[in-house]
Amino acid sequence: MQTLTQSAAVNKNLIGGAWLDGASVTEDINPSNTSDVVGRFVQGDAAQVKAAVAAAKDAFPAWSRSNPQIRHDILKRVGDEIMARKDELGRLLSQEEGKTVAEGVGEVVRAAQIFLFFSGECVRLAGDKIPSVRPGLDIEITREPVGVVGMITPWNFPIAIPAWKTAPALAYGNCVVLKPAELVPAMAHAMADIINRAGAPPGVFNLVMGRGSVVGQAMLEHKDIAAISFTGSVATGRRIAATCVASDPMKKVQLEMGGKNPMVVLDDADLKVAAECAVSSAFFATGQRCTASSRFIVTEGIHDKFVDAVTERMRSLVVDDALKPGTHIGPVVDESQLKQDMSYIQIGKDEGAKLVAGGERLNRDNPGFYLSPALFTEANNKMRISSEEIFGPVAAVIRAKNYDEALELANDTEFGLTSGICTTSLKYASHFKRNAEAGMVMVNLPTAGVDYHVPFGGRKGSSYGPREQGRYAQEFYTIVKTAYSFDLNEPYVPKAKGTQ
C-alpha cells in the first residue's frame, strides 16, 4: 500500500502501473490550519500526459475485451477497500479540503458505493437482438467502450467525483487518464493507489496530477483521447467543449458546471422543515457544492418567519477546524476562494441587499480560511448575488407574491442543476416537479444530496452531454453498435393454411 507521505518524500504520478516523478513539486495545504502540510505531490507536464495516454492506449485492446467478471472483481476490491478505510480516508479528505469529518467520511462512503455499484454493472451490461423488417436478417444492438477517457475533476468533492467518473469508465472497458484539482491531490492519489493494488493492469488507470493549464490542456489536445469528462466552471467547460468539437478526431464531451439553485418556500410549508432544508442546502460543506441552494424564494405570508427561523438556526452553527469534534462548518478551501466569497458579500451590500447574518472572516485557534455563513434579505433576481454562482456559504432571500411568481423566479436563471420546494400542498409539489427547469428537483428536502445509483446532471448552463452516475452513465462511456447478419440458408417461412 502506498501510504501518504507527509515528510520530505513526494507522492508521485501513476503512469503505466509505475509511480513516476513529475516536472515539479507542490505542497497540499490544510485549509483549517495553513501551517499543516498534508503532503507533497508532483506536478506533471505535457510529456507525462503523452506517456499516460500511450499507456492507456496500449492497455485498451485487452481491457476492453476482458471478461466482465475480471472487471467486476477489480472494482469490487476497490469499493471494499475504500469502505473499509472510510474513517482514515474521510479524515484525510477533511484535512485536505476542509469538510467536517462527518462530511468527509460520508463522501468516502459515497465513493465506495459507486465502485460497488459499477462492479455489478460490469456483469449487467445488456444489448438487444431484434427482428429485421427484411426476411433472413438478424439485428444485434450492443455497447462498446469509447477508448481512452480523460477526466478533469474539481476540488470540492476530492474522491466522490473522481469515483463517479472512473468507476463507470472502467466497468464498461475504457482506460482512464485522471487529472484531479491541484488543491486536493491526496484523495485522488489514494484512490489511484487502491485501483493499482486491486489488480487493474498497467495503463488501465493513470493519474497525472498538475496544473489545468498544463496537464488539462495537454489532455484536450491529445488525438488519442477519445472522450473528456469535466466538472468545473462554466467558462472552462465551454472552452473544453469548443476544443473537443474542433479537435481531429472530434472528442466526446461531458460537462458538469455551475448552479444557482433555487429553493421555493410557500406559505403552507412546515417552517422547521423549510429552515433546516435551507441551512443544509446553503451552508453545509461550506456552501461549496454545485447543488447548494443560494436563492431562497419565499412567499409573503411566511417570509419574515422563515428569515427568523433560518437566522436562529444559523446561530447554532459552529464554524471551526474541520477535524475538531463539534464543528458544523469547516473553512473555505483556500485564500482565493475566501476572497471571492468576501467580494460577493460586499457586492450584495452595494447592490442594496440587507446582510442579516454572518459574512465575516473569523479567527480560530489555527490559521485558516474561516467565514461565517452569510444571509441576505431584500434581494432580487437582477442582483449579482442572486444570479452568479458564488460557491461559498452565501445565500439570498427573495420575496414572491405567490406560487406562480415563485416558480417564475426559480426558473429565471441561466443555470438548471437542482431546484427545490418546501410545501405541504400536493398540488403545488406536483406542479413544481413538472415545471421546474432543472435536472434534479427536491420536495421538502435540501437541494444537495443525490443517491449514487441515479442520474446526476442539469440543463441550460449547468450541464452538457449525457448524465453521470447510475445506469445512465453508459450513455457517455459506451458507443452503440448496430450489427446485421444474413442467414445464408434460405429462411423457413410457414405457408398459410389452405395453400400447397
Side-chain angles (χ1 to χ4, degrees), residues 382-393:
K382 302 302 180 185
M383 294 178 175
R384 290 179 62 190
I385 60 167
S386 303
S387 59
E388 298 176 8
E389 185 176 40
I390 299 172
F391 220 66

Side-chain angles (χ1 to χ4, degrees), residues 264-332:
V264 170
V265 181
L266 300 184
D267 287 353
D268 65 2
D270 182 305
L271 186 60
K272 185 176 180 180
V273 169
E276 195 61 36
C277 286
V279 169
S280 175
S281 296
F283 305 131
F284 286 1
T286 321
Q288 297 174 152
R289 299 182 286 193
C290 56
T291 53
S293 178
S294 54
R295 292 189 297 144
F296 303 142
I297 301 169
V298 187
T299 50
E300 293 280 3
I302 200 173
H303 178 279
D304 293 350
K305 290 181 286 186
F306 172 80
V307 172
D308 289 343
V310 171
T311 53
E312 178 65 27
R313 179 70 176 89
M314 289 172 68
R315 279 191 281 269
S316 69
L317 299 175
V318 176
V319 181
D320 209 331
D321 190 319
L323 301 181
K324 183 182 290 187
T327 295
H328 299 119
I329 297 174
V332 174

Side-chain angles (χ1 to χ4, degrees), residues 181-432:
E182 299 164 60
L183 284 173
V184 289
M187 293 308 297
H189 187 277
M191 188 184 83
D193 172 55
I194 293 170
I195 293 171
N196 190 46
R197 289 185 296 98
V204 166
F205 177 87
N206 304 273
L207 172 72
V208 185
M209 301 175 287
R211 296 177 59 84
S213 59
V214 178
V215 174
Q217 187 63 33
M219 289 167 64
L220 291 178
E221 294 173 354
H222 203 296
K223 65 180 179 61
D224 289 330
I225 289 185
I228 293 283
S229 181
F230 166 82
T231 300
S233 71
V234 175
T236 302
R238 285 176 173 166
R239 184 175 62 80
I240 286 173
T243 303
C244 288
V245 171
S247 65
D248 184 17
M250 288 190 290
K251 296 180 185 351
K252 201 171 185 180
V253 62
Q254 176 186 61
L255 307 176
E256 287 298 338
M257 298 171 287
K260 195 65 182 176
N261 309 298
M263 174 172 286
V264 170
V265 181
L266 300 184
D267 287 353
D268 65 2
D270 182 305
L271 186 60
K272 185 176 180 180
V273 169
E276 195 61 36
C277 286
V279 169
S280 175
S281 296
F283 305 131
F284 286 1
T286 321
Q288 297 174 152
R289 299 182 286 193
C290 56
T291 53
S293 178
S294 54
R295 292 189 297 144
F296 303 142
I297 301 169
V298 187
T299 50
E300 293 280 3
I302 200 173
H303 178 279
D304 293 350
K305 290 181 286 186
F306 172 80
V307 172
D308 289 343
V310 171
T311 53
E312 178 65 27
R313 179 70 176 89
M314 289 172 68
R315 279 191 281 269
S316 69
L317 299 175
V318 176
V319 181
D320 209 331
D321 190 319
L323 301 181
K324 183 182 290 187
T327 295
H328 299 119
I329 297 174
V332 174
V333 72
D334 70 352
E335 183 71 36
S336 175
Q337 185 63 47
L338 179 60
K339 287 180 179 178
Q340 177 172 302
D341 295 346
M342 296 297 293
S343 173
Y344 271 105
I345 290 169
Q346 186 59 51
I347 288 168
K349 294 176 182 178
D350 294 343
E351 288 179 321
K354 182 181 178 183
L355 182 63
V356 296
E360 300 173 338
R361 182 162 189 173
L362 303 174
N363 293 317
R364 292 296 182 258
D365 293 340
N366 295 322
F369 309 116
Y370 298 104
L371 175 65
S372 60
L375 182 69
F376 284 95
T377 60
E378 309 309 321
N380 63 64
N381 256 17
K382 302 302 180 185
M383 294 178 175
R384 290 179 62 190
I385 60 167
S386 303
S387 59
E388 298 176 8
E389 185 176 40
I390 299 172
F391 220 66
V394 182
V397 181
I398 301 170
R399 291 179 184 266
K401 297 189 197 71
N402 51 38
Y403 168 76
D404 290 335
E405 184 182 36
L407 177 62
E408 182 180 353
L409 289 169
N411 290 336
D412 180 23
T413 173
E414 65 182 84
F415 298 106
L417 186 56
T418 65
S419 191
I421 187 170
C422 291
T423 179
T424 55
S425 165
L426 179 60
K427 177 181 75 172
Y428 289 133
S430 299
H431 187 272
F432 189 82

